[in-house]
């Protein structure tokens, strides 16, 4: 059978001859590597193009939101009402706006503050509203300054958490509401108080001096406004009020997004820096009521400023200068990075001869095994329940944080440390003695109250051990 097997030259009827085998030469290897590099370059180019398309789509979405905000405020016309489809004249801030207030909306801005060590504990809710009906015939003024006194504000403080104050990551001012009087409410009524601000008279109180002709049964078009709006929506949902289920809310807008469009910067900017850019004094930030008012003022500043400079040489020069500054900064960063990387290699090139061989055991660090404690277990506080003080973020429970919004600078995390006798210093909740009463099963075991046992058989001096609680 082996003798009848065909050799390598055998060909079936109609079968073409095999091509010659590739020669393993250096030139062919170079060609192979060049082909691989070209394929990788094409793949990178396709990925870059896809990212560019996504970025352009995102920019268009943000620009559309910015344009709609201008239409709601009457500083920009709509295509249907304008003979020109692409350009609109600049406005004179000393005169009433020339365009209609699209959709006759009411801006409702919400800001929520929570305790920095337990973000599921909401301490403040601020609401600021602006009814565009009250802006008719009123000149906006420079950066919308003349419209700011039309903003209504409410500041709610939660009774259950009124003793909590932020001091570590940000400086809170729960007592520093500058646009009215704070209202203390129980936690279970917070959703009702917030919901009332989304209906006429939209947060106005007796003595505010605002018109009282609103029809409480009329459903006005609402624009939900915020700075990092999604975070505020989550917090309101935790309180029991879900803005996403309110039918007459047209859309949600974000001043951080608006400022990205105005400043041509993809990175978000803090509320304080936005206020500074439009010469607005923003004192006692991180008070929920103040932040809500300042967010509305920031929106007015952004939209009115753009409408005032629209199509002007001043705006063109400003855009050109910003572009040149960013390009110059990027070039300087790239040059400095290339210089640092080159020096990192050159600094060691002429120093020494390499030294002695490094044993394999030293080159590869050993895998450390977890150390198992053989000490007698003692009851420990596990952090569960309402007294949890571990750092967390967002408005959800401590293990579901979503990050803290950027309205100022953060400090250092100064967590408390447990002392020898269970005392907590710096960031702890107080002091707990090692001789505190035990609870539940642990206490029964120590005192000899387990099942089938009488009095403890331990020596008298060991009947109640000195238990340390680790917070």
């Amino acid at each position: 059978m082996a003798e009848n097997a065909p050799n390598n030259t055998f060909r079936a009827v109609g079968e073409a001859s095999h091509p010659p085998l590739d020669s393993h030469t250096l030139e062919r290897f170079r060609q192979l590597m060049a082909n691989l590099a070209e394929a990788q370059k094409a793949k990178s180019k396709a990925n870059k193009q896809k990212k560019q398309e996504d970025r352009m789509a995102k920019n268009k979405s943000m620009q559309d939101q910015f344009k709609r905000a201008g239409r709601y405020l009457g500083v920009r016309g709509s295509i249907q009402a304008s003979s020109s489809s692409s350009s609109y004249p600049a406005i004179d801030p000393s005169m009433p706006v020339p365009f209609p207030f699209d959709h006759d909306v009411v801006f409702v801005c919400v800001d929520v503050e929570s305790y920095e060590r337990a973000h599921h504990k909401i301490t403040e809710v601020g609401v600021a509203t602006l009814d565009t009906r009250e802006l008719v015939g009123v000149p906006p003024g420079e950066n919308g300054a003349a419209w700011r006194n039309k903003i209504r504000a409410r500041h709610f403080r939660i009774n259950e958490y009124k003793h909590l104050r932020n001091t570590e990551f940000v400086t809170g001012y729960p007592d520093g509401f500058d646009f009215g009087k704070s209202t203390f409410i129980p936690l279970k009524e917070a959703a009702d108080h917030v919901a009332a601000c989304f209906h006429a008279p939209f947060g106005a109180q007796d003595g505010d001096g605002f018109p009282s002709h609103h029809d409480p049964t009329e459903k006005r078009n609402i624009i939900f406004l915020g700075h990092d709006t999604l975070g505020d929506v989550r917090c309101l949902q935790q309180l029991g009020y879900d803005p996403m289920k309110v039918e007459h809310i047209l859309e949600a807008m974000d001043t951080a997004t608006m400022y990205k469009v105005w400043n041509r910067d993809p990175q978000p900017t803090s509320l304080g820096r936005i206020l500074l850019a439009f010469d607005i004094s923003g004192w006692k930030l991180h008070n929920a009521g103040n932040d809500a008012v300042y967010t509305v003022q920031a929106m007015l500043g952004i939209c009115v400023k753009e409408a005032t400079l629209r199509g002007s040489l001043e705006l063109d020069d400003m855009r050109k200068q910003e572009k040149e500054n960013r390009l110059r900064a990027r070039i300087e960063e790239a040059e400095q990075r290339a210089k640092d990387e080159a020096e990192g290699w050159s600094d060691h090139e002429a120093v020494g001869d390499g030294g002695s061989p490094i044993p394999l055991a030293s080159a590869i660090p050993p895998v450390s095994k977890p150390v198992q404690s053989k000490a007698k277990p003692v009851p420990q506080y596990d952090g569960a329940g309402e007294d949890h003080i571990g750092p967390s973020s967002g408005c959800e429970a401590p293990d579901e944080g979503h990050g803290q919004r950027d309205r100022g600078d953060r400090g250092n995390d100064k967590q408390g440390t447990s002392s020898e006798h269970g005392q907590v210093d710096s960031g702890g909740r107080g002091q707990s003695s090692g001789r505190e009463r035990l609870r539940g099963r642990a206490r029964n075991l120590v005192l000899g109250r387990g099942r089938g046992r009488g009095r403890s058989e331990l020596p008298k001096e060991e009947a109640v051990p000195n238990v340390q609680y680790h917070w």
Side-chain angles (χ1 to χ4, degrees):
M1 183 181 296
E3 295 177 355
N4 294 331
N7 56 22
N8 59 347
T9 61
F10 176 80
R11 296 290 182 274
V13 178
E15 181 182 1
S17 60
H18 290 294
L21 296 177
D22 294 337
S23 57
H24 298 291
T25 63
L26 179 59
E27 292 300 326
R28 292 194 60 83
F29 179 70
R30 287 176 176 171
Q31 184 62 39
L32 174 63
M33 298 305 296
N35 293 340
L36 292 176
E38 193 67 25
Q40 184 64 31
K41 185 184 298 183
K43 183 178 179 181
S44 300
K45 184 178 180 180
N47 292 338
K48 184 177 180 180
Q49 183 177 359
K50 179 63 169 58
K51 291 181 180 179
Q52 178 68 9
E53 292 175 354
D54 294 342
R55 182 164 52 250
M56 294 296 292
K58 184 178 180 180
N59 289 348
K60 184 181 184 305
S61 176
M62 292 190 295
Q63 288 176 338
D64 288 343
Q65 180 186 140
F66 183 83
K67 293 176 181 178
R68 291 195 301 272
R71 284 164 39 200
Y72 297 145
L73 291 172
V75 297
R76 176 184 289 269
S78 62
I79 295 179
Q80 292 81 0
S82 175
S83 58
S84 175
S85 60
S86 58
S87 62
Y88 303 94
I91 68 168
D92 183 356
S94 63
M95 300 292 293
V97 293
F99 305 105
F101 294 90
D102 198 15
H103 285 85
D104 188 32
V105 304
V106 178
F107 289 93
V108 179
C109 178
V110 178
D111 181 80
V112 181
E113 296 292 329
S114 59
Y115 183 48
E116 59 193 353
R117 283 295 183 178
H119 284 268
H120 62 290
K121 296 181 179 180
I122 296 176
T123 57
E124 307 171 56
V125 179
V127 182
T129 64
L130 178 65
D131 189 349
T132 56
R133 287 182 182 177
E134 299 174 10
L135 305 181
V136 177
V138 180
E142 184 179 2
N143 295 335
W147 282 352
R148 295 173 194 167
N149 58 1
K150 303 295 183 180
I151 301 173
R152 310 173 185 184
R154 297 297 304 274
H155 180 229
F156 302 108
R157 294 186 61 184
I158 307 301
N159 283 331
E160 288 82 346
Y161 305 128
K162 63 183 179 181
H163 61 287
L164 300 177
R165 180 186 294 266
N166 294 330
T167 58
E168 296 186 52
F169 302 108
V170 296
T171 302
Y173 296 94
D175 302 324
F177 182 46
D178 290 338
F179 300 94
K181 294 183 179 180
S182 301
T183 304
F184 290 84
I185 59 175
L187 180 62
K188 63 181 180 180
E189 298 179 5
D192 295 334
H193 284 273
V194 173
C197 296
F198 284 79
H199 300 82
F202 304 105
Q205 303 181 81
D206 295 337
D208 285 346
F210 288 98
S212 58
H213 60 270
H214 297 282
D215 183 2
T217 62
E218 181 184 9
K219 289 188 176 181
R220 298 285 303 280
N221 293 322
I222 302 295
I223 301 298
F224 188 97
L225 182 66
H227 191 80
D228 181 24
T229 309
L230 183 58
D232 293 317
V233 170
R234 290 196 183 104
C235 293
L236 290 181
Q237 289 173 339
Q238 180 183 330
L239 285 177
Y241 181 76
D242 191 354
M244 300 179 66
K245 297 181 180 180
V246 180
E247 295 181 357
H248 55 286
I249 293 182
L250 293 184
E251 64 174 315
M253 289 190 163
D254 196 328
T255 50
T257 299
M258 296 181 190
Y259 192 73
K260 286 180 182 180
V261 177
W262 166 252
N263 199 38
R264 306 291 176 89
D265 189 352
Q267 300 301 323
T269 305
S270 67
L271 179 59
R273 292 185 179 275
I274 295 177
L275 296 175
L276 181 62
F278 297 99
D279 299 328
I280 301 174
S281 298
W283 297 104
K284 298 177 183 177
L285 294 174
H286 297 288
N287 174 286
N290 294 343
D291 283 357
V293 174
Y294 289 137
T295 300
V296 180
Q297 293 184 4
M299 176 196 66
L300 295 178
I302 297 170
C303 294
V304 174
K305 185 73 170 182
E306 186 275 337
T308 303
L309 298 179
R310 184 185 302 144
S312 65
L313 294 177
E314 180 183 354
L315 181 60
D316 293 340
D317 293 341
M318 185 180 70
R319 297 297 188 205
K320 182 179 179 180
Q321 187 64 37
E322 290 175 352
K323 184 177 180 180
E324 292 177 353
N325 292 340
R326 288 194 177 95
L327 181 60
R328 188 182 305 109
R330 296 289 179 86
I331 293 176
E332 292 177 357
E333 291 176 1
E335 291 178 348
Q336 185 63 38
R337 182 168 59 252
K339 181 180 178 181
D340 294 341
E341 291 175 354
E343 290 178 351
W345 294 103
S346 302
D347 291 346
H348 305 286
E349 185 175 1
V351 178
D353 60 355
S356 303
I358 298 178
L360 183 60
S362 300
I364 303 178
V367 179
S368 59
K369 297 182 179 180
V371 179
Q372 297 182 356
S373 176
K374 297 182 180 180
K376 184 178 180 180
V378 296
Q380 295 186 4
Y381 178 69
D382 60 1
E386 285 296 320
D387 292 333
H388 177 74
I389 61 172
S392 61
S393 56
C395 281
E396 291 77 3
D399 59 343
E400 299 177 357
H402 291 276
Q404 190 168 12
R405 289 165 293 167
D406 183 12
R407 288 195 177 87
D409 298 331
R410 293 188 180 186
N412 295 326
D413 186 3
K414 302 177 181 178
Q415 298 184 9
T417 56
S418 299
S419 63
E420 181 179 358
H421 296 290
Q423 296 178 349
V424 180
D425 54 11
S426 182
R429 291 180 57 88
Q431 298 178 350
S432 61
S433 171
R435 296 179 176 84
E436 286 185 351
R437 295 183 60 187
L438 303 179
R439 297 180 177 87
R441 180 176 176 83
R443 185 171 186 268
N444 292 337
L445 291 177
V446 172
L447 299 181
R449 296 179 183 176
R451 295 181 180 179
R453 297 183 61 182
R455 299 179 60 85
S456 173
E457 299 178 359
L458 295 174
K460 185 175 182 180
E461 61 274 14
E462 297 180 3
V464 182
N466 183 9
V467 180
Q468 298 182 8
Y469 286 84
H470 302 277
W471 296 84

